[in-house]
Amino acid sequence: MGNIVAIVGRPNVGKSTLFNRLTGTRQAIVDEMAGVTRDRLYGKAFWNGVDFSVIDTGGYATNSDDIFEEAIRSQVLIAIEEADIIVFVVDVVTGITDYDEGVADILRRSKKPVMMVVNKVDNNERIAESSYFYALGLDNLYPISAINGAGTGEFLDKLVSLFPKNENEEELDLPKFTIVGRPNAGKSSIINAFIGEERNIVTPIAGTTRDSIFTRYNKFGHDFFLVDTAGLRKKAKVNEDLEFYSVMRAIRAIENSDVCMLMIDATRGFETQDQKIFNLIQKNKKGIVVLVNKWDLIEKDTHTIKQFETMVREAMAPYTDFPIVFTSALTKQRIHKAIEASLQVYENRNTKITTSKLNDTLLPLIDKFPPPSTKGKFIKIKYVTQLPTQSPTFAFFCNLPQYIKDPYKRFLENKIREHWNFTGVQVNIVLRKK
């Protein structure tokens, strides 16, 4: 089960700086101007042997106090519903504001674990001032400085200890195929088509499905779980909250799946939100099958499929080795092909290649096209083996791994794909010192 941490709080308290600190990236733009973070940011973090996802909920700066307050309130409510732990960030310099009190009031009523982070505590005097925030009525108060990392170790130790223990995992060890996509792309409809019954409610209103629903598929010699991911709860006034809600649902479902069926609405084409969900699947190293739904509504000629397929692959480049199935949940066109493609990708993801086969096949190719020399030094790859990881990972042992650049890594990946079937699966190349 994926662990999700949501960072909430008013603008300019240092949420983005804390996000960058936890994920070890500079993904979030940091500026003194309030409200710089407008898109929801998602990153992976690791502490004390525990992996977890971090979501920076962003802030809004508008002229209307009412809209401002409602925007903060709605994203806090979404975070409470979707995340395992809420990190509430406040600013020791400005003290407690009305917005802080409003957020704290919502958080006190929730049943989720809340950690209050008092940010910008970078000297002893401010450590004393941070205790003032106990007035908000929340326990688990941690004075830190996100910009220089002071106090973050103790905070992270507590954070990872609060994650729920995964005692309720499905007892059956079956493949999990998750259907992800924008709201109203037809996710629930296609599950109903797969299983041949109206199990999931389908309406033209985006976001009818509220929870991720597990459906066991046991027909035609196949046995696996289908997971319908929720879209949006209802039509909201703030478009950014719509997107935030669907992305958080998608993250939860993607992390718990083996293969993701990314459903694209043929009538709307490939949009930014589809690209974001595709990036999430890649980041989590899951198998992928692209389903182009509502294909019965498209006017077609002999080149339509080829043109649409080219457009999708170009948008997702450089990763282009994945199956695309053109389906219709309404007419049940090619729905069995979608299941067969997903099962094949699941098999590809679990493919194990013996070390002898890898070396016999790849070393002669590497000798023929060796890595380019750098600074007069010649790189010699001596040995390759597959590592025991969930997604296919290959370790290449060589004398100077630091000099092998990304273009040559792509060459190695392409050679692996030429000789073995890894369609729909991300292949990871690791270089190690021999």
Side-chain angles (χ1 to χ4, degrees), residues 127 150 291:
I127 289 174
L291 304 184

Side-chain angles (χ1 to χ4, degrees), residues 8-13 15 34-35 58-77 88-91 94-108 116 133 136 138:
V8 302
R10 59 188 173 79
N12 215 24
V13 291
K15 297 192 300 297
Y60 288 85
T62 62
N63 296 325
S64 164
D65 287 347
D66 293 339
I67 295 172
F68 187 36
E69 192 169 356
E70 182 56 36
I72 291 177
R73 177 184 165 79
S74 62
Q75 58 189 306
V76 170
L77 289 171
F88 174 34
V89 184
V90 290
D91 182 349
T94 54
I96 295 174
T97 67
D98 291 345
Y99 291 129
D100 292 330
E101 287 178 348
V103 173
D105 185 49
I106 297 167
L107 294 176
R108 278 198 308 272
M116 184 160 55
F133 285 87
L136 291 171
L138 293 166

